Amino acid sequence: MSTTDKPTVDTPESALSEEELATVAPEVMASTFGEYVHARIARIKHGESGALPVIVGLIAICVFFEIERSSFLHASNLVNLFVQASIYILFGAAETFVLLLSEIDLSAGFGAAVGAFVMLELNATPVNFPWWLAILGGLVVMAGIGALQGSLIARLGLPSFIVTLGGYLGLTGVMLEVANVDKTAVGGVITANGTIAKLYSSHISPTAGWVIMIVCVAVYGAIALLRQRSLANQGLSAAPLGVTVLRIAGVAVVGIVLTLIFNSNQGTSAIAIRGMPYLVPLVLVIILVATLFMSKTRTGRYMYAVGNSPEAARRAGINVKWIITLGFILSSVVAGFAGLVYASTEGSMSTDFNGGQDVLFAVAAAVIGGTSLFGGRGRIVNALLGGLVVAVVFNGLGLMGVSAAVQDMVTAVVLIAAVVMDALVRRRATTR
Amino acid sequence: MTDTHSLLSLRGVYKRFGPVQALRDVTLDIPAGKVTALIGDNGAGKSSLIKTVSGLWPQDDGQILWEGREVHLSSPRDSEHLGITTIYQDLALCDNLDIVQNMFLGHEPVRHGILDEVAMERSAAQTLKELSVKTVKSIRQPVASLSGGQRQSVAVAKAVMSNAQLVIMDEPTAALGVAQTRMVLDLITTLAGRGVAVMVVSHNMVDVFEVADRIAVMYLGNCVTQGPASEFTRQSAVEWMTTGTITKAVAS
């Protein structure tokens, strides 16, 4: 009864217990925290394990690779790993939008390639758009692709598997055509120049990195604390203060560790490279904005509603067809960013782009992150974890010199394991 | 026959599908603040009546009066605007959303484009309290974790939240256990006590006689009789339902 995290409906006077919380000794605080932990464990037992198994799995994989190849946890490799991961993270986030709607987008990989080609060609001669207009142009094309596929699926009620399978084939063709538009693209390769290339090749200075990190953690901490105080003071559902503090501490630790990694020398002793590539904060901002959109806006909530029960959403007056179409548009646009990051890290776009494999990793990243294939369950931010797992597996196996064949097989096992876990959690949740 | 304070009245309502008459000459009064039980055998036209009143199947003939004024319910939106909410057996809840989110689905208050969770949680808690719904642990738990009776309560609270004047409940106690049924029946009584007109469609005679102020019997698309529940016995209600008429012996 003394908790503020669960104000029961029959005791709306829990504001009183909040006063206790604000004034009493930390021991009482700890008991609230303990109850929180208790509730957490109960949730895990009920199949609502959240991100925990993924984090444990990620650490286990990292330890394994570090034992096998001591270069795995070196700064240079870790930075490389984060850059690799950022592509999978964005693909995973893109796929999460449609998976939440209980749909799938198989065309995301080649869609991203088309978007990236458009960006690079708009940025290059003869068009010579400034970098931001070129990126915007590519994103508009992506939105168009999403709107077309989404409309076919939502308005005509076609299965997304088939429509986006068509998109997969069609966009492969479009990619080959687009690569031919530019006569300077010898052999279907077009180089990234200027700002687009610098997203990857330029680094934020170590000092600026520290400042940005500290500002981000401080802003997050302030918002989280104020929110927790305000909710708790009004007797509304809020996490115990201890949990909020712990979360802020966790974010700070992650921020410090990442900044330390990025600020250590990634180059050689002769030519030092330090700092965070610009694309890392770009990816984080995209994930943050997408996550907030899904959790804090009406449209985001409607996407969760439609994903769980289109009929309930329809009766609540929600425009289900538009929500589904919008899901595909957002998915496509985020996939466009993935294409941009890919082009920047490679320094070019080529028709060798493996969009088929990328889309599978996109689904893998989303599902490993905890997004359900059955719709309505998952969060965009989880793609961070999912993308990291995919990148770690790939990166580590690469370091071990394992053949491409084995890499594919291992990644497949990880994906299937994630889907099995999703199905088991779901079964457990329904038979409760 | 005509109640003076009838919220919704049907006068000679017909609904036809080709040669099939789903509703024929239905005359029915639903007063505010009362529980009206709509009973009848399978295929008697109960569902057709619900669909007509909720705007899904506009009537072919006859009048529908709302507070004495004629209205045209040609879409679910029309009914909603008047304040008619229909709770179907599937309840139309989203399992993945919590109680508060479900209660506000489609009507979320926003501040600067951001969902106003504080306002939602407050007023949801208030509504649940007014309805004496006490068994849920936290109003932030997902609907998937609720029992059948609790889900029914959330659906009712959602209707109250949207300022419903008439709540139509389709078989609210079907598939519920004893304690859960008790809870839902109490909820129905509380709801009517707030001045809301409640129409309950049910097969369960025990529940009907427990909760209903008025009873209306459907037979072959026609409303064959309606009146205060005290004028019916379980035996007479069953005879009305199965034969569409009543013999003197049972009536007395």
Side-chain angles (χ1 to χ4, degrees), chain A residues 329-353:
Chain A
I329 293 174
L330 293 175
S331 167
S332 249
V333 168
V334 174
F337 276 111
L340 169 68
V341 168
Y342 175 87
S344 179
T345 52
E346 293 290 310
S348 66
M349 265 315 284
S350 124
T351 47
D352 291 341
F353 184 86

Side-chain angles (χ1 to χ4, degrees), chain A residues 353-372:
Chain A
F353 184 86
N354 198 344
Q357 196 184 43
D358 279 332
V359 80
L360 295 184
F361 287 153
V363 176
V367 173
I368 291 170
T371 299
S372 173

Side-chain angles (χ1 to χ4, degrees), chain A residues 7 24 55 62 84 125 172 261 267 294 330 395 407 426 428:
Chain A
V24 290
I55 294 173
C62 287
Q84 282 180 319
T125 41
T172 313
I261 291 172
M294 291 301 286
L330 293 175
N395 179 292
Q407 283 188 19
R426 194 180 138 83
R428 203 151 174 190

Side-chain angles (χ1 to χ4, degrees), chain A residues 6-10 12 231 234 236-237 295-298 301-302 304-305 308-309 312 315-316 318 376 432, chain B residues 88 90 92 94-96 101 105-106 108 110 114-115 117-118 121-122 128-129 133 136-137 139-140 145:
Chain A
K6 302 235 183 287
T8 51
V9 176
D10 46 331
L231 285 179
Q234 295 178 70
L236 299 170
S237 301
S295 61
K296 305 282 179 200
T297 70
R298 273 190 182 177
R301 173 140 319 155
Y302 294 170
Y304 279 99
N308 179 265
S309 168
R315 287 210 212 130
I318 294 168
R432 195 180 308 159
Chain B
Y88 293 95
D90 65 4
C94 290
D95 282 346
N96 58 338
Q101 292 171 341
L105 191 61
E108 293 89 348
V110 286
I114 305 292
L115 290 169
E117 297 286 350
V118 172
E121 187 169 330
R122 267 223 191 109
L128 287 171
K129 196 180 157 208
V133 177
V136 290
K137 262 186 274 158
I139 59 175
R140 283 297 183 185
S145 64

Side-chain angles (χ1 to χ4, degrees), chain A residues 126-413:
Chain A
V127 188
N128 282 327
F129 274 176
W131 63 271
W132 57 270
L133 195 56
I135 293 175
L136 192 67
L139 295 180
V140 168
V141 169
M142 293 306 291
I145 292 170
L148 177 64
Q149 296 192 118
S151 301
L152 284 173
I153 291 156
R155 311 267 157 202
L156 299 181
L158 301 175
S160 55
F161 188 88
I162 299 301
V163 171
T164 59
L165 189 61
Y168 177 115
L169 290 172
L171 290 171
T172 313
V174 172
M175 177 188 79
L176 295 173
E177 278 300 315
V178 173
N180 279 334
V181 171
D182 190 343
K183 298 303 173 205
T184 62
V186 184
V189 179
I190 175 164
T191 46
N193 297 306
T195 309
I196 292 181
K198 281 181 184 161
L199 270 180
Y200 168 64
S201 59
S202 285
H203 296 71
I204 298 172
S205 79
T207 325
W210 279 114
V211 172
I212 294 172
M213 190 279 292
I214 290 169
V215 167
C216 286
V217 171
V219 168
Y220 168 76
I223 292 176
L225 274 180
L226 284 177
R227 192 178 145 74
Q228 198 276 342
R229 294 281 77 190
S230 144
L231 285 179
N233 284 337
Q234 295 178 70
L236 299 170
S237 301
L241 187 59
V243 174
T244 308
V245 170
L246 206 66
R247 270 189 201 145
I248 297 169
V251 169
V253 166
V254 170
I256 290 168
V257 168
L258 284 182
T259 313
L260 281 175
I261 291 172
F262 280 116
N263 285 354
S264 51
N265 189 3
Q266 307 144 30
T268 59
S269 51
I271 311 156
I273 301 173
R274 292 174 190 278
M276 186 186 287
Y278 279 92
L279 62 84
V280 173
L282 171 74
V283 170
L284 293 180
V285 167
I286 293 169
I287 297 296
L288 180 72
V289 169
T291 305
L292 290 178
F293 172 79
M294 291 301 286
S295 61
K296 305 282 179 200
T297 70
R298 273 190 182 177
T299 314
R301 173 140 319 155
Y302 294 170
M303 288 176 76
Y304 279 99
V306 169
N308 179 265
S309 168
E311 176 61 16
R314 191 186 62 76
R315 287 210 212 130
I318 294 168
N319 186 342
V320 173
K321 288 174 179 166
W322 162 242
I323 293 290
I324 293 175
T325 309
L326 183 68
F328 277 90
I329 293 174
L330 293 175
S331 167
S332 249
V333 168
V334 174
F337 276 111
L340 169 68
V341 168
Y342 175 87
S344 179
T345 52
E346 293 290 310
S348 66
M349 265 315 284
S350 124
T351 47
D352 291 341
F353 184 86
N354 198 344
Q357 196 184 43
D358 279 332
V359 80
L360 295 184
F361 287 153
V363 176
V367 173
I368 291 170
T371 299
S372 173
L373 288 167
F374 304 101
R377 204 158 52 79
R379 294 197 306 160
I380 302 280
V381 70
N382 292 354
L384 279 177
L385 278 176
L388 264 179
V389 170
V390 171
V392 163
V393 170
F394 236 63
N395 179 292
L397 292 176
L399 280 186
M400 287 173 66
V402 170
S403 69
V406 175
Q407 283 188 19
D408 282 350
M409 286 190 268
V410 171
T411 314
V413 169

Side-chain angles (χ1 to χ4, degrees), chain B residues 160-196:
Chain B
V160 171
M161 206 91 239
S162 66
N163 268 327
Q165 304 295 304
L166 167 59
V167 175
I168 301 170
M169 301 174 80
D170 189 10
E171 298 283 0
T173 56
L176 291 187
V178 177
Q180 302 280 332
T181 300
R182 176 76 266 146
M183 180 175 139
V184 171
L185 293 182
D186 287 346
L187 184 64
I188 291 171
T189 313
T190 312
L191 195 59
R194 289 167 58 100
V196 175

